[in-house]
Amino acid sequence: MSYERKIINDPVFGFISIPKGLLYDLVCHPLLQRLTRIKQVGLSSVVYPGAQHTRFQHSLGAYYLMCEAIQHLTAKGNFIFDSEAEAVEAAILLHDIGHGPFSHVLEDTIVPGVSHEDISLMLMERINREMNGQLTLAIQIFKDEYPKKFLHQLVSGQLDVDRLDYLRRDSFYTGVTEGNIGSARIIKMLDVKDDHLVVESKGIYSIENFLTARRLMYWQVYLHKTSVAYERMLISTLLRAKELASRGTELFASPAFHYFLYHDINRDVFYNDPACLENFIQLDDNDVWTSLKVWCGHPDKVLSTLSQGMVNRHLFKVEISNEPFSEERKQELTHQVGIELGIPMADAAYFVTTSCIERNMYNPADDSIEVIYNDGSTKNIAEASDMLNISLLSKKVKKHYLCYLRPHK
């Protein structure tokens, strides 16, 4: 194995070292480089202007933390082959490779029924074919089909390095300091017992801080009401564009974006028509923004008004409630929009949307966080923690959002 390395300077973790060979080839691969053109937190920069970092930066950060985790686990006597270390590092580098622009927006509009995890796996298998099977072990770990289960937990679990990086990184770029977790300390506290990741008991407070920070980041950044409104606005815009395309109206779009606007895609089609994946890997944030800028001048009143709102930050107004909003309230708002814009009620419906978001930050049934004591006994974090927060964090929080066009003053 060559010891020549490439160094990347990361503002969050400092120097990240990538060995020449498989890992460096993956970093340079066009499919991973595509992530340099996709923002990590989608539309959150509408609230936090500093949040301009990309999914590529996040993938590198998660890779760095994985290298640290492997090093600390090995130092504690957990035997990990070099081939396993390289495979789990490759898996984390590629874990987000299937994200499209504003990924969850696309999952609701132009590629319904296909998650970014599905596409990540398709692309990993594609690169594996190109690289003559060098990713076979990485894919087994990614799919949780490898005997050492704790390696999969590092890629995808309650304490995976994916979460440890995005909380640190998103906190850094948004300036929301509450999310700044002690990722280095958490990694130092990790160990393995019975093929399951555990945390040393002296790391309990770091885990409590991690779970609390995650809750704060979700409600303060990822699900901030203005970000939700902006996302709903983009969904309405794309659904209107799809409707116009289905009627045969010609819309400006890059070839890849055009493909998804003018074809009805579902899960079966995506898996069976190779053109879907070929077009998907050509998509990034630029395709969508370029179309939105051009659509600002489109003769369709609905499409142009929504696009102008996206480009010029004229956002939907948002109301939040613990109870669902009544149909009468939605009808009343739709009627007002119809009168103001001089459009039929059916078209005005694009300007009034509701969504329900439900989240809990810790689900013991999912993949519990186990704390290990000096005598070798383990306890679930919910029992081990002396904070009431853990039981609160496992409680589902449900919020109903009503987003609608602001009336002109």
Side-chain angles (χ1 to χ4, degrees):
M1 192 185 218
S2 162
Y3 288 98
E4 193 187 340
R5 290 175 172 269
K6 290 286 181 185
I7 306 290
I8 294 172
N9 193 353
D10 175 61
V12 178
F13 296 122
F15 293 113
I16 298 177
S17 166
I18 296 158
K20 278 297 196 69
L22 172 66
L23 295 167
Y24 183 68
D25 291 346
L26 290 176
V27 169
C28 297
H29 196 284
L31 289 176
L32 198 65
Q33 287 294 315
R34 182 181 74 95
L35 299 186
T36 62
R37 304 186 297 278
I38 294 176
K39 278 191 197 162
Q40 168 71 7
V41 286
L43 295 164
S44 292
S45 59
V46 75
V47 184
Y48 301 101
Q52 302 289 340
H53 54 302
T54 65
R55 291 204 175 272
F56 178 75
Q57 288 167 278
H58 160 61
S59 300
L60 286 179
Y63 159 79
Y64 167 83
L65 291 176
M66 182 65 84
C67 296
E68 293 285 294
I70 294 296
Q71 191 183 328
H72 285 293
L73 289 173
T74 307
K76 288 177 183 176
N78 299 292
F79 190 74
I80 300 167
F81 288 107
D82 286 350
S83 57
E84 291 170 334
E86 184 180 62
V88 77
E89 286 157 14
I92 200 67
L93 262 181
L94 300 176
H95 78 285
D96 266 357
I97 202 166
H99 270 286
F102 321 108
S103 88
H104 304 296
V105 171
L106 292 197
E107 288 166 22
D108 286 340
T109 52
I110 63 175
V111 283
V114 190
S115 72
H116 67 267
E117 291 92 350
D118 296 332
I119 300 172
S120 288
L121 191 53
M122 291 170 87
L123 293 177
M124 286 168 81
E125 284 166 346
R126 177 192 177 117
I127 298 172
N128 195 32
R129 287 191 294 273
E130 279 174 28
M131 292 186 163
N132 301 318
Q134 287 185 77
L135 289 179
T136 302
L137 188 52
I139 290 169
Q140 282 181 323
I141 292 169
F142 184 78
K143 291 165 77 174
D144 199 13
E145 291 176 354
Y146 190 66
K148 289 185 181 175
K149 298 295 183 187
F150 73 89
L151 292 174
H152 173 77
Q153 282 184 295
L154 286 169
V155 177
S156 180
Q158 291 272 11
L159 275 179
D160 60 39
V161 296
D162 171 28
R163 288 179 187 185
L164 293 179
D165 178 77
Y166 76 62
L167 289 174
R168 272 287 300 273
R169 190 166 301 276
D170 299 348
S171 162
F172 177 88
Y173 281 100
T174 55
V176 177
T177 52
E178 291 89 343
N180 192 6
I181 55 159
S183 54
R185 179 161 172 78
I186 290 173
I187 282 174
K188 281 190 174 73
M189 294 295 113
L190 289 179
D191 205 343
V192 177
K193 188 189 180 192
D194 301 332
D195 197 27
H196 194 88
L197 275 186
V198 291
V199 180
E200 292 175 16
S201 56
K202 57 191 174 189
I204 285 181
Y205 295 120
S206 299
I207 301 303
E208 289 174 343
N209 176 42
F210 161 75
L211 292 170
T212 310
R214 194 159 170 257
R215 177 174 174 268
L216 282 165
M217 287 296 284
Y218 263 89
W219 293 115
Q220 207 172 323
V221 177
Y222 311 128
L223 301 175
H224 187 287
K225 66 174 194 169
T226 308
S227 302
V228 170
Y230 208 28
E231 197 167 283
R232 298 307 303 179
M233 203 165 183
L234 181 55
I235 289 171
S236 284
T237 314
L238 295 180
L239 290 174
R240 180 59 170 184
K242 282 280 290 178
E243 191 195 333
L244 293 173
S246 71
R247 291 191 212 154
T249 306
E250 195 46 50
L251 296 173
F252 174 88
S254 67
F257 194 26
H258 190 279
Y259 175 86
F260 287 103
L261 290 176
Y262 286 83
H263 289 82
D264 276 330
I265 309 294
N266 58 33
R267 192 177 174 83
D268 285 346
V269 174
F270 202 97
Y271 272 90
N272 293 309
D273 183 352
C276 289
L277 194 60
E278 291 307 320
N279 281 288
F280 186 86
I281 60 179
Q282 296 303 321
L283 281 181
D284 57 48
D285 289 4
N286 301 315
D287 296 74
V288 178
W289 282 116
T290 306
S291 289
L292 289 171
K293 281 160 61 182
V294 176
W295 295 346
C296 286
H298 196 275
D300 179 72
K301 188 77 176 274
V302 176
L303 186 67
S304 59
T305 306
L306 287 167
S307 300
Q308 285 164 22
M310 287 297 301
V311 171
N312 300 320
R313 204 185 182 279
H314 297 148
L315 305 184
F316 281 173
K317 190 168 173 53
V318 195
E319 292 176 19
I320 302 177
S321 165
N322 293 326
E323 299 299 322
F325 290 92
S326 69
E327 276 305 314
E328 293 76 31
R329 175 96 173 98
K330 289 191 274 185
Q331 289 295 326
E332 178 195 332
L333 288 167
T334 307
H335 185 67
Q336 286 172 7
V337 171
I339 291 170
E340 186 168 324
L341 294 181
I343 55 176
M345 283 283 278
D347 288 352
Y350 281 102
F351 296 93
V352 181
T353 83
T354 53
S355 64
C356 171
I357 297 173
E358 199 171 17
R359 268 283 184 283
N360 63 352
M361 292 305 123
Y362 175 63
N363 184 359
D366 198 21
D367 168 27
S368 65
I369 296 174
E370 296 291 322
V371 175
I372 189 163
Y373 293 87
N374 293 339
D375 64 0
S377 64
T378 60
K379 260 191 197 174
N380 188 295
I381 185 71
E383 297 164 39
S385 167
D386 54 10
M387 275 172 59
L388 286 169
N389 294 30
I390 302 291
S391 54
L392 292 173
L393 289 169
S394 14
K395 200 174 121 210
K396 272 198 158 54
V397 177
K398 195 173 190 175
K399 294 186 183 181
H400 296 270
Y401 292 76
L402 173 64
C403 309
Y404 56 92
L405 186 72
R406 290 171 188 274
H408 282 294
K409 289 176 185 170

